[in-house]
Amino acid sequence: MTNHSEATGQYEPDSSVHADSPARTADPFGEPVVTLRTPAELADALPYLLGFRPEESIVLIALHGERGRFGGRVRLGVPERAEDWPCVAEQLAQCLVGGSERRGERPDGIVAFLCQDPVGAETGQQVVERLRPLAQELRTACGRLDVPVLEVMCIAQSRFWTYCCPDTSCCPPEGVPLLSPGTSVLAAAATYMGVRADATQSEIRGRLAPWETAAAADQERALDAASAELLPRMLRDAARDEELVGDLGKDPGEGEGNGPDRAPEEGQGVASDTLDLARRIMARLAAAPPPPGDTLEADIRDDELIAHDEAAALIFGLQVRTTRDRAAEWMEGAEGPSALRLWRALSRRCVGAYAEYAAAPLALAGWVAWSLGDLAEGQEALDMALGVDSRYAFAVLLNQACNDDMDPETIRRCLRRKREARDGSTLRDEAAAHDDGAPHGDAAVRDDAALPRRRRRRRPSRTASEASRAPGGPAKGPQNRRQTARRIAKDGL
């Protein structure tokens, strides 16, 4: 894009910033369209397209039609190693073009942004030159998919550079200052539509990053203690669940199993304790609304409402996949905001040697933020979860759904159905528990036949200390317990 007098894109706040928002009204006054004609206006549009001001990002945005209407976009952090750039460029190009095709509209062009502030004594111009090979990799990867990259811009130190314009009169080597925030026509249109882009990427991540204060040492000690107490119980619960799953394959007459039509009971042991504790803390948070406007003060107050041992117990409990999936159902209504505050707080508590345990609360925070309409925080939290564990399936799938502009209501419906089915099963179990078993004619015989079979009686649970002394029990010491708990989390128990 070397002719800066031509239109570089059309910005429609309703569709470009929140692709998961409801369909727009037919009122033409509710659909402002802003035409961007210069690189400065294009750079100014980026925060409104993402919902925040990116600081460490590769961003690709699809353009459609002759006038370059903005479409889907993908974003990823800039890899530290230059040898990773070709692979990342290929993946981003395929993700953007493939997602657009699945929505029925192949891009006619792409605009790319590289956002990174200087490191140490590095200057903005040095950042531009260091990232130049990455810009070329993006152009090559998109070109292989027959979609041209019309512009690649680098944003650093509140200035921007273009890799596609050789004219130094409009694009000088020292870069061009960004427009002052809130002064452009685009900013006015976005404000009119209620779109905000005040937060920076670092501010969003700061609400989710682990503590670096003196309290981190106390939290790590609480996590060590929780490991010693909960790990033996988690291993016993896992063995019990495997035993119950084995009963599913038995015929109804074999022993005292559940029968082939019953799933193992999930509301026992660490899972039950974790969910109960999470509900109590969510109620505690709901009773203390955060102060408006000051996110730092709000997070500090939330941290004060959660004890170290409570946070540690929840962090360990959420490493179990089924427990995490149950927690993901608190995604909307009165539960959603309190759940999001809790997942943020737990992400901040994954300190020291327990940093990788943050994948679960970060992924939950990303899901709930997205479900509540904050796509910017949702994607940042999911990116952070993948940064902790790049193969964490829950975050991988949600991140892909966000990048594909999927409507979160599809996932919400799925989780609602699971919750309703489980609640219905619980009611049937309670009805069976209150039945005295006395025959009352043919009807009673038929009803008794429909009731679930008795579950296998569980052996009395040993204490944590007994389990640690038992042959084959978990090894002693915080480091060994951490490693064993990590294996539990990675095995998806």
Side-chain angles (χ1 to χ4, degrees):
M1 183 180 299
T2 58
N3 185 353
H4 293 163
S5 64
E6 295 179 356
T8 60
Q10 287 187 328
Y11 171 81
E12 302 178 34
D14 259 344
S15 59
S16 298
V17 178
H18 300 295
D20 58 332
S21 60
R24 289 174 290 163
T25 175
D27 180 7
F29 295 102
E31 301 181 6
V33 177
V34 179
T35 300
L36 310 178
R37 299 185 179 279
T38 67
E41 292 175 343
L42 190 60
D44 180 63
L46 184 58
Y48 300 99
L49 292 167
L50 298 179
F52 62 94
R53 296 193 296 279
E55 296 167 334
E56 287 283 331
S57 298
I58 306 170
V59 183
L60 299 184
I61 301 175
L63 300 177
H64 300 280
E66 293 182 358
R67 297 187 61 79
R69 174 177 49 82
F70 289 132
R73 62 262 182 220
V74 295
R75 190 198 63 78
L76 190 69
V78 178
E80 293 183 2
R81 303 191 310 165
E83 52 265 37
D84 294 333
W85 291 354
C87 178
V88 167
E90 191 73 27
Q91 291 177 349
L92 287 173
Q94 291 179 356
C95 183
L96 180 62
V97 175
S100 298
E101 288 178 335
R102 285 191 292 273
R103 293 189 296 274
E105 194 175 12
R106 183 178 174 83
D108 296 299
I110 289 174
V111 173
F113 297 87
L114 302 178
C115 306
Q116 190 174 68
D117 283 333
V119 178
E122 192 177 33
T123 66
Q125 286 179 262
Q126 290 172 328
V127 173
V128 174
E129 291 307 314
R130 177 167 53 80
L131 297 180
R132 189 176 292 276
L134 175 56
Q136 185 58 42
E137 292 290 350
L138 292 170
R139 299 180 74 177
T140 302
C142 294
R144 282 196 289 265
L145 298 176
D146 295 326
V147 182
V149 176
L150 304 179
E151 181 68 276
V152 185
M153 304 185 72
C154 181
I155 299 177
Q157 281 188 320
S158 300
R159 304 178 78 86
F160 72 87
W161 291 258
T162 172
Y163 290 107
C164 300
C165 179
D167 188 351
T168 57
S169 63
C170 62
C171 299
E174 66 273 15
V176 179
L178 294 171
L179 297 176
S180 298
T183 61
S184 65
V185 174
L186 175 58
T191 301
Y192 172 74
M193 294 301 299
V195 175
R196 297 178 59 87
D198 299 334
T200 64
Q201 189 175 2
S202 59
E203 288 170 350
I204 295 175
R205 287 180 168 254
R207 306 192 72 183
L208 302 163
W211 282 349
E212 295 181 354
T213 63
D218 294 333
Q219 182 61 64
E220 188 167 8
R221 283 192 289 271
L223 286 162
D224 285 339
S227 173
E229 177 188 356
L230 295 177
L231 181 54
R233 293 181 57 198
M234 292 169 72
L235 292 171
R236 288 198 300 272
D237 289 351
R240 179 206 67 207
D241 290 343
E242 287 180 3
E243 182 181 11
L244 291 174
V245 169
D247 288 338
L248 293 177
K250 295 183 179 180
D251 293 330
E254 293 185 33
E256 292 184 287
N258 291 330
D261 60 341
R262 289 292 293 176
E265 186 173 1
E266 193 175 332
Q268 301 291 333
V270 175
S272 178
D273 292 348
T274 300
L275 295 169
D276 288 345
L277 177 58
R279 290 188 188 97
R280 291 198 302 272
I281 295 179
M282 285 167 55
R284 194 184 304 164
L285 294 171
D294 190 340
T295 57
L296 177 60
E297 179 63 25
D299 291 342
I300 291 174
R301 284 186 54 183
D302 286 351
D303 289 338
E304 292 172 348
L305 292 171
I306 305 172
H308 294 313
D309 59 339
E310 292 176 328
L314 290 177
I315 288 168
F316 267 89
L318 290 174
Q319 303 308 309
V320 180
R321 177 182 55 80
T322 51
T323 307
R324 180 210 62 207
D325 289 350
R326 288 279 299 273
E329 296 170 4
W330 303 324
M331 61 198 168
E332 57 188 342
E335 294 175 331
S338 298
L340 178 56
R341 292 165 63 188
L342 176 57
W343 308 145
R344 285 191 196 123
L346 294 183
S347 299
R348 297 191 292 269
R349 303 290 189 105
C350 295
V351 296
Y354 297 91
E356 67 184 71
Y357 286 74
L362 282 170
L364 286 169
W367 158 236
V368 177
W370 180 34
S371 177
L372 294 177
D374 191 340
L375 181 61
E377 181 176 357
Q379 289 185 314
E380 279 303 303
L382 293 171
D383 282 349
M384 292 177 70
L386 293 175
V388 170
D389 184 352
S390 62
R391 295 182 295 177
Y392 195 63
F394 187 65
V396 170
L397 295 173
L398 287 172
N399 191 56
Q400 181 66 45
C402 284
N403 285 333
D404 286 347
D405 286 335
M406 180 178 174
D407 188 344
E409 178 59 22
T410 305
I411 303 174
R412 285 194 293 260
R413 281 197 298 266
C414 230
L415 292 173
R416 287 191 206 108
R417 283 195 295 267
K418 288 181 62 177
R419 189 173 191 173
E420 290 165 359
R422 187 178 60 255
D423 289 346
S425 176
T426 301
L427 290 175
R428 290 192 296 272
D429 288 348
E430 290 176 352
H434 287 86
D435 196 314
D436 60 5
H440 298 290
D442 293 341
V445 173
R446 287 194 298 271
D447 290 341
D448 288 344
L451 291 175
R453 299 182 60 82
R454 286 190 301 141
R455 294 180 175 79
R456 183 184 299 276
R457 181 177 299 170
R458 291 186 296 278
R459 292 185 293 271
S461 297
R462 292 176 296 176
T463 65
S465 59
E466 289 171 343
S468 65
R469 292 194 299 268
K476 296 181 179 180
Q479 184 61 32
N480 289 329
R481 288 195 297 271
R482 292 170 192 153
Q483 293 172 351
T484 306
R486 289 171 188 154
R487 287 197 295 271
I488 290 179
K490 293 188 178 189
D491 290 341
L493 297 179

